[in-house]
């Protein structure tokens, strides 16, 4: 019976990890892709604006 209790935690973690990977893969692209791309573009634009503002003030 000790072997069962030794194998259960790794098996449970493996099942959850596989589920996590499948969920991540399923959420790539599709309807969420445009929303995610827009959020990334907005973050890049904000970072670029902060970087340009910071360098202009330093002059």
């Amino acid at each position: 019976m000790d072997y069962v209790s030794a194998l259960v935690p790794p098996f449970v973690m493996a099942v959850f990890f596989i589920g996590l990977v499948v969920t991540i893969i399923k959420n790539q692209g599709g309807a969420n892709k445009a929303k995610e791309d827009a959020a990334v573009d907005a973050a890049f634009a904000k970072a670029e604006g902060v970087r340009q503002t910071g360098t202009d003030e330093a002059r």
Side-chain angles (χ1 to χ4, degrees):
M1 231 23 207
D2 288 337
Y3 63 90
V4 173
S5 62
L7 290 176
V8 168
F11 180 73
V12 170
M13 287 189 294
V15 168
F16 282 123
F17 182 73
I18 291 169
L20 176 67
V21 170
V22 168
T23 301
I24 290 171
I25 290 172
K26 282 186 178 182
N27 287 330
Q28 296 296 314
N32 292 331
K33 184 164 178 45
K35 184 170 59 173
E36 292 170 359
D37 289 346
V40 170
D41 289 342
F44 279 146
K46 182 178 179 184
E48 183 67 22
V50 168
R51 188 173 67 89
Q52 287 179 354
T53 302
T55 56
D56 290 344
E57 291 175 359
R59 290 182 187 177

